Amino acid sequence: MTEPTASAAAPASRIRAAVVGYGNLGRSVEALVRRQPDMELVGVVSRRAELPTDAPIIAVDDADRLAGEVDVLFLCLGSATDIPEQAADWARRFTTVDTYDNHGDIPRHRAEMDAAARAGGNLALVSTGWDPGLFSVNRVLGAALFPEPQQRTFWGPGLSQGHSDAVRRIPGVVRGVQYTIPSEEAIAAAKAGREGIGGKEAHARHCVIVADPADHDRIRETIVTMPDYFVGYRTTVEFVDEAAFEAEHLGMPHGGRVITSGDLGGSRSSVEFGLELERNPDFTAASMVAYGRAAARMHAAGRRGAVTVLEVAPYLLSPVGLDELVARDV
Amino acid sequence: MTEPTASAAAPASRIRAAVVGYGNLGRSVEALVRRQPDMELVGVVSRRAELPTDAPIIAVDDADRLAGEVDVLFLCLGSATDIPEQAADWARRFTTVDTYDNHGDIPRHRAEMDAAARAGGNLALVSTGWDPGLFSVNRVLGAALFPEPQQRTFWGPGLSQGHSDAVRRIPGVVRGVQYTIPSEEAIAAAKAGREGIGGKEAHARHCVIVADPADHDRIRETIVTMPDYFVGYRTTVEFVDEAAFEAEHLGMPHGGRVITSGDLGGSRSSVEFGLELERNPDFTAASMVAYGRAAARMHAAGRRGAVTVLEVAPYLLSPVGLDELVARDV
């Protein structure tokens, strides 16, 4: 097995990219691919014949005709069912990138994608995005620096899709979102390496709901007593009218940080990697596109099978060649 | 050329490490190597026959006897003259890691180390540490995420060795240190992607000096009018007595952050990598030791010549094997 070398990885020809799936993530990936200096968009693969794009639309059943014409296929599919059911089939036919985010299931997904990609002579870059993805990279990097690392990941402030779905399933909830807010005290403790702040105390949960006033008390009680999702967290519920919801709660902000600290022989250090995102799918797409560049280059240099973000050398993410990156870092 | 694969890079035998140079950095590297689960300390190479260590001391002129007994040699030598004069000679004989930090000269250093390491069948991992080093990695990563990245690096709050040396050269200065303090306003502007805050406005400089009161006015004037080092910066000079200096200004705190932000199609995101270090040499050593692990593994897998931090896959820094890292990232 060979890997890209400095010279092999210098941008030579443009990377031909296609997108599968056209939800929030797929649309963001499409827009970002168009802005890359070293990529061209071959088209969007979809079950729908009409999409709000001027890119070529390729039917899913017709995708085999892209063989040899696509260097990387962005799998912009949901982690709940689409990726487990469809990703391996794509990896047999194309070099792929995905954002599979079911953390506990990633080893199984990696193994399945490895077998499929090897069978087809392809590469499958699995579980990109930011968590898993960039946060995974920073957890490994941070922990590697300390003999006895103390590490915490905080999420937010931001909108949690899973918790928002949970509150919207409550009868009587017309509109609803849930914001996750990390505790400033817990963040300060993590930097100082202090123990004692448990998982549920490290984040607060704030729900914003549109509902008939007659239902408010019942909805509030249902939320704060919901096991797994809210019990044990400092949870607040705010009711607003439809106009206020429309004006202030349609965005998808998110963010988070990985903090690692530890003793280095009588002195302490802390390392932090943090994100502030106005729109979560756009940033997930940005990570996916950069890793798509790496996938195409590593495949071109002979690498096959599943690859995790932990195996990607940083310069492979950049459209700038390695020598130029080294020269610029003055 | 081959690169380490997942299986090849799983920790097999212990990495045999030696340290050249026994200043602040060398002592920190020695202490950290002893705390790594997968490394053993072969000894310290020095021109001095006696050092405050119980590790074997090997004379510089006798170092050839370490051939075949050392997997990685940590070059804990100064960037001003030692590295340019001595590093290539070490790289011809051993796989090395250095922290050469003369940014503008790194391309030349890399080329020289590449030739030397290839001649000897070795690998030379150049310019590790945190800037260059971890900050270089994060500048490349951050910029790769945005079509039009806006990026700033801030240093401090922390002690600047070069500026401290400069104030100590002023006649009449008995003791002196200089702290670099980043502007909170400039940091906020960088996250928001606002322009207009120049390099010198982004950092303030605070000097703490011990001197005869009769010299204070002259020393202050000499500092604030010193070209390159202080002119144009918001500079403050504080005079303290010897006891206060001893009590509060003997540490080597430092830190900094790399902030990258940009538009991702109507939404903005910002990415930040930050460090808070109680003792600068300890953290530089921590980065160096982690990259030393990567150097030994990449050499064992067949890689030769100079390697930059941009070419190191993250999992190679960790003492934990790749499969276990993937399984743990839940």
Side-chain angles (χ1 to χ4, degrees):
Chain A
M1 177 183 295
T2 59
E3 287 251 4
T5 62
S7 54
S13 56
R14 284 159 70 89
I15 294 166
R16 300 165 300 171
V19 177
V20 179
Y22 209 66
N24 284 323
L25 181 62
R27 288 192 294 272
S28 292
V29 167
E30 179 199 12
L32 285 169
V33 163
R34 291 179 191 268
R35 294 173 69 186
Q36 304 302 312
D38 57 347
M39 290 190 186
E40 64 184 63
L41 182 71
V42 173
V44 176
V45 180
S46 176
R47 297 195 187 284
R48 286 179 280 170
E50 303 221 346
L51 296 173
T53 176
D54 59 5
I57 301 171
I58 299 99
V60 167
D61 294 339
D62 204 24
D64 280 340
R65 76 170 171 83
L66 294 178
E69 290 177 25
V70 167
D71 299 311
V72 62
L73 190 65
F74 292 100
L75 302 182
C76 301
L77 305 168
S79 289
T81 56
D82 288 352
I83 289 285
E85 290 175 4
Q86 303 167 25
D89 189 48
W90 290 113
R92 262 187 295 274
R93 297 183 285 161
F94 298 94
T95 282
T96 62
V97 183
D98 67 62
T99 58
Y100 187 61
D101 66 358
N102 184 346
H103 286 257
D105 191 47
I106 290 173
R108 185 207 58 74
H109 173 64
R110 176 184 174 222
E112 185 184 7
M113 294 296 274
D114 189 60
R118 286 184 192 280
N122 298 316
L123 183 153
L125 190 31
V126 299
S127 297
T128 71
W130 58 275
D131 194 0
L134 299 179
F135 275 19
S136 312
V137 167
N138 278 278
R139 284 189 284 261
V140 168
L141 167 64
L145 295 169
F146 298 94
E148 294 166 67
Q150 294 175 276
Q151 188 167 75
R152 291 290 299 272
T153 299
F154 297 91
W155 296 274
L159 185 143
S160 163
Q161 205 60 59
H163 285 76
S164 296
D165 289 344
V167 301
R168 285 193 289 259
R169 283 193 295 265
I170 298 170
V173 170
V174 179
R175 313 283 295 265
V177 291
Q178 193 260 209
Y179 298 104
T180 304
I181 301 149
S183 152
E184 289 298 325
E185 187 198 332
I187 290 169
K191 284 193 195 183
R194 291 196 305 269
E195 304 278 5
I197 298 181
K200 292 189 175 182
E201 287 167 49
H203 295 89
R205 302 196 173 282
H206 182 66
C207 303
V208 179
I209 308 286
V210 178
D212 187 320
D215 294 333
H216 285 188
D217 287 351
R218 177 182 54 79
I219 288 170
R220 188 192 312 268
E221 184 66 14
T222 305
I223 290 173
V224 300
T225 60
M226 193 184 296
D228 301 334
Y229 285 85
F230 292 101
V231 169
Y233 290 96
R234 190 163 57 78
T235 301
T236 50
V237 182
E238 174 187 6
F239 291 94
V240 301
D241 63 22
E242 188 86 32
F245 194 96
E246 288 273 345
E248 292 167 34
H249 299 288
L250 295 188
M252 289 179 270
H254 217 312
R257 59 189 97 188
V258 176
I259 297 173
T260 315
S261 68
D263 166 74
L264 292 174
S267 75
R268 289 197 66 83
S269 294
S270 79
V271 180
E272 175 172 348
F273 180 78
L275 301 174
E276 295 180 22
L277 318 175
E278 277 186 359
R279 193 167 179 279
N280 193 1
D282 287 345
F283 189 78
T284 301
S287 169
M288 193 181 198
V289 169
Y291 279 102
R293 172 178 294 116
R297 288 190 190 171
M298 293 172 84
H299 182 263
R303 179 81 178 246
R304 299 291 181 267
V307 172
T308 66
V309 293
L310 304 179
E311 295 161 82
V312 176
Y315 80 102
L316 292 169
L317 302 171
S318 172
V320 181
L322 176 61
D323 291 348
E324 177 69 18
L325 289 173
V326 173
R328 281 186 192 181
D329 195 50
V330 291
Chain B
M1 179 181 299
T2 59
E3 287 251 5
T5 62
S7 53
S13 56
R14 285 160 70 88
I15 295 167
R16 300 166 299 170
V19 176
V20 179
Y22 208 67
N24 284 323
L25 180 61
R27 287 192 295 271
S28 292
V29 167
E30 179 199 13
L32 285 169
V33 163
R34 291 179 190 269
R35 294 173 70 186
Q36 304 302 313
D38 57 347
M39 290 190 187
E40 64 184 63
L41 182 71
V42 174
V44 176
V45 180
S46 176
R47 296 194 187 284
R48 285 180 282 169
E50 303 221 348
L51 296 173
T53 177
D54 60 5
I57 301 171
I58 299 101
V60 167
D61 292 339
D62 203 24
D64 279 340
R65 76 171 172 83
L66 294 178
E69 290 176 27
V70 167
D71 299 311
V72 61
L73 190 66
F74 291 100
L75 302 182
C76 301
L77 304 168
S79 288
T81 56
D82 289 352
I83 289 285
E85 290 175 4
Q86 303 165 25
D89 188 48
W90 290 113
R92 261 187 295 274
R93 297 183 285 161
F94 298 94
T95 281
T96 62
V97 183
D98 67 62
T99 59
Y100 188 60
D101 67 358
N102 184 347
H103 287 258
D105 191 47
I106 290 173
R108 185 208 57 76
H109 174 63
R110 176 184 175 222
E112 184 183 8
M113 294 296 273
D114 190 60
R118 286 184 191 280
N122 298 315
L123 183 153
L125 190 30
V126 300
S127 298
T128 70
W130 59 274
D131 194 1
L134 299 178
F135 275 19
S136 313
V137 167
N138 278 278
R139 282 189 285 261
V140 169
L141 168 64
L145 296 168
F146 299 94
E148 294 167 67
Q150 295 175 277
Q151 187 168 75
R152 290 291 298 271
T153 300
F154 296 91
W155 296 274
L159 185 144
S160 162
Q161 204 60 59
H163 285 76
S164 297
D165 288 344
V167 300
R168 284 192 290 258
R169 282 194 295 265
I170 298 170
V173 169
V174 179
R175 313 283 296 263
V177 291
Q178 193 261 206
Y179 298 104
T180 305
I181 302 149
S183 152
E184 289 298 326
E185 187 197 332
I187 291 169
K191 285 194 193 182
R194 292 196 305 270
E195 304 277 5
I197 297 181
K200 293 189 175 182
E201 286 167 49
H203 295 89
R205 301 196 173 281
H206 181 66
C207 303
V208 179
I209 309 286
V210 178
D212 186 320
D215 294 332
H216 285 189
D217 286 351
R218 176 183 53 80
I219 289 170
R220 188 192 314 269
E221 184 66 16
T222 305
I223 291 173
V224 301
T225 59
M226 193 184 295
D228 300 333
Y229 284 85
F230 292 100
V231 169
Y233 290 96
R234 191 164 56 77
T235 300
T236 49
V237 182
E238 175 187 6
F239 292 94
V240 300
D241 62 23
E242 187 87 33
F245 194 95
E246 288 274 345
E248 291 167 36
H249 299 289
L250 297 188
M252 289 180 270
H254 218 311
R257 59 189 98 190
V258 176
I259 297 173
T260 315
S261 68
D263 165 75
L264 292 174
S267 75
R268 288 196 66 84
S269 293
S270 79
V271 181
E272 175 172 348
F273 179 79
L275 302 174
E276 295 179 22
L277 318 175
E278 277 186 359
R279 192 168 179 279
N280 193 0
D282 288 346
F283 189 78
T284 301
S287 168
M288 193 182 199
V289 169
Y291 279 102
R293 174 178 293 115
R297 288 191 190 169
M298 293 172 84
H299 182 263
R303 179 80 179 248
R304 299 291 181 267
V307 172
T308 67
V309 294
L310 304 179
E311 295 161 81
V312 176
Y315 80 102
L316 292 170
L317 302 172
S318 173
V320 181
L322 176 61
D323 291 348
E324 177 69 16
L325 289 173
V326 173
R328 281 187 193 180
D329 195 51
V330 290

